[in-house]
Amino acid sequence: MLLVAELGTRLKEARLSKGYSLDDLQEITKIQKRYLIGIEEGNYSIMPGSFYVRAFIKQYADAVGLNAEELLETYKSELPGTPNNQVSQSMTTSPSRRKVSKGPSNKMMEAMPKIIVGLFIIVIIVVIWVLMQSRNSAGPNATDDSVPSEIEYDTKVKPIDTEKDKEKEHKKAQTNDKQESTDSKDSTKETPDEKQTEEVKQSISAGTIEADGATTSYTLKDANTLKIRIEVSGPTFIGIRNQQQQELLTDTRVYNAGEVVEFDATSQNYARIRLGNSTQAKVYINDEPLTYTQQIVTQNIVINFNKE
């Protein structure tokens, strides 16, 4: 049983080095906390089955950065085994369930192409009938004579007979062009209501350390939005919750170097950011970097948003 104790100790040390609590690990792996404690203590009797022991250990190892396959191979003699007879039984019984019935469903499949062709022919007949009805409803007397031709319209325009009339028409056209140009310029003038107001720069208060020692509260003022961006430089757990402690970030997990977490919390008046390793995560509020009041590894950042 010494090997089992060493396995649990090794996993627990890796968890602590990552700065994860058992609650954090429960959020990451979705494994119940009591099973995580059982793995660290080597108490596998509380597990729902031997299969889950190996599966839970693999998830635990992956979450804390250990080689799961290597751990399972090293301690395989001390871990509960998976019954082979269940696997063999499922393999022997599965072929019988795969027998294809040659009942009415197969006959329906054979008749399906004929049914499709018949439906296609019916659709064509309906379309032809609709077109014929539309043409008949127009009536035999509907001709293009009812529409005045372009030639007839042009003949109604009084022709310009003299050079003097041509000059008058030319000056009139120039006057109209100048008037249109002036109207166009006036329409593009910016009205006082359309002028952009001067931006009011947002302010973030100095952080206040809460009683638990791991939480720092900040207040965001003079801002219309609350947009959170977290740039990750190394493995760290990230989660975002609202005031009711409900998860806002759908992808709550351990993020690696180069990843960026972005979340728009404008609809909220409170956002709690959980950082598993704050030394490897930089928080920006509306593209403005946040200065950490506490220089601790695992901490909570609370943003109180006073909407204008």
Side-chain angles (χ1 to χ4, degrees):
M1 297 302 293
L2 180 59
L3 288 175
V4 175
E6 289 180 357
L7 172 59
T9 301
R10 187 172 177 185
L11 291 170
K12 183 176 181 180
E13 289 175 351
R15 172 176 64 80
L16 294 176
S17 67
K18 290 285 186 180
Y20 301 154
S21 65
L22 286 170
D23 291 330
D24 293 335
L25 198 61
Q26 180 178 251
E27 291 185 5
I28 297 171
T29 62
K30 308 304 180 185
I31 300 173
Q32 295 183 24
K33 185 177 178 179
R34 62 193 184 98
Y35 293 151
L36 297 174
I37 295 174
I39 291 173
E40 291 185 351
E41 295 178 351
N43 181 14
Y44 303 130
S45 61
I46 65 172
M47 302 293 180
S50 58
F51 170 80
Y52 291 94
V53 174
R54 305 176 73 86
F56 287 172
I57 290 176
K58 186 176 185 304
Q59 286 181 267
Y60 191 128
D62 290 339
V64 297
L66 296 178
N67 189 320
E69 298 299 333
E70 180 181 340
L71 285 177
L72 293 174
E73 181 65 23
T74 301
Y75 300 101
K76 66 180 181 179
S77 61
E78 298 298 331
L79 296 175
T82 303
N84 294 328
N85 57 345
Q86 295 179 4
V87 178
S88 61
Q89 182 178 1
S90 63
M91 292 178 65
T92 55
T93 57
S94 59
S96 62
R97 298 175 183 177
R98 299 176 184 175
K99 292 181 179 180
V100 179
S101 175
K102 296 183 179 180
S105 61
N106 282 348
K107 294 180 179 179
M108 178 64 70
M109 292 300 294
E110 292 177 358
M112 187 60 69
K114 298 179 181 179
I115 295 174
I116 293 174
V117 172
L119 290 174
F120 184 72
I121 294 173
I122 293 172
V123 170
I124 292 176
I125 294 173
V126 171
V127 170
I128 294 173
W129 181 82
V130 170
L131 292 174
M132 292 179 65
Q133 290 295 321
S134 299
R135 183 175 298 177
N136 292 335
S137 63
N141 297 325
T143 64
D144 293 337
D145 295 339
S146 60
V147 181
S149 65
E150 185 177 354
I151 298 175
E152 292 175 348
Y153 177 81
D154 290 341
T155 57
K156 297 177 183 180
V157 179
K158 182 180 179 181
I160 300 174
D161 297 329
T162 64
E163 292 295 330
K164 187 176 181 179
D165 292 336
K166 290 181 181 179
E167 185 178 353
K168 288 181 180 180
E169 292 294 333
H170 179 67
K171 290 181 179 181
K172 185 178 180 180
Q174 288 181 337
T175 303
N176 291 337
D177 291 341
K178 289 180 180 180
Q179 184 63 36
E180 290 177 359
S181 177
T182 303
D183 294 341
S184 177
K185 290 180 180 179
D186 291 340
S187 64
T188 58
K189 287 183 179 180
E190 185 176 8
T191 62
D193 294 337
E194 293 174 347
K195 292 182 179 179
Q196 296 180 349
T197 58
E198 183 180 356
E199 283 191 4
V200 179
K201 187 175 182 181
Q202 70 176 17
S203 63
I204 302 176
S205 68
T208 302
I209 301 174
E210 301 295 339
D212 61 0
T215 303
T216 307
S217 294
Y218 302 82
T219 300
L220 174 63
K221 297 180 180 180
D222 300 325
N224 296 323
T225 60
L226 173 54
K227 294 183 179 180
I228 301 170
R229 187 175 84 254
I230 307 172
E231 296 180 356
V232 181
S233 58
T236 181
F237 171 81
I238 297 176
I240 301 176
R241 293 183 177 182
N242 60 16
Q243 200 163 10
Q244 290 73 38
Q245 298 305 309
Q246 298 172 333
E247 284 292 344
L248 299 176
L249 191 64
T250 56
D251 194 9
T252 299
R253 60 180 174 85
V254 175
Y255 288 81
N256 298 312
E259 291 189 275
V260 177
V261 178
E262 292 183 322
F263 183 80
D264 189 347
T266 303
S267 61
Q268 307 289 328
N269 57 9
Y270 173 102
R272 171 186 173 271
I273 306 169
R274 173 72 171 178
L275 300 177
N277 189 346
S278 62
T279 63
Q280 301 188 115
K282 185 61 180 177
V283 177
Y284 293 82
I285 304 299
N286 294 332
D287 295 329
E288 182 176 332
L290 180 69
T291 301
Y292 298 148
T293 300
Q294 297 194 85
Q295 302 303 318
I296 57 177
V297 176
T298 300
Q299 61 175 299
N300 302 318
I301 304 296
V302 173
I303 306 297
N304 295 294
F305 181 30
N306 292 336
K307 298 181 181 179
E308 293 298 317

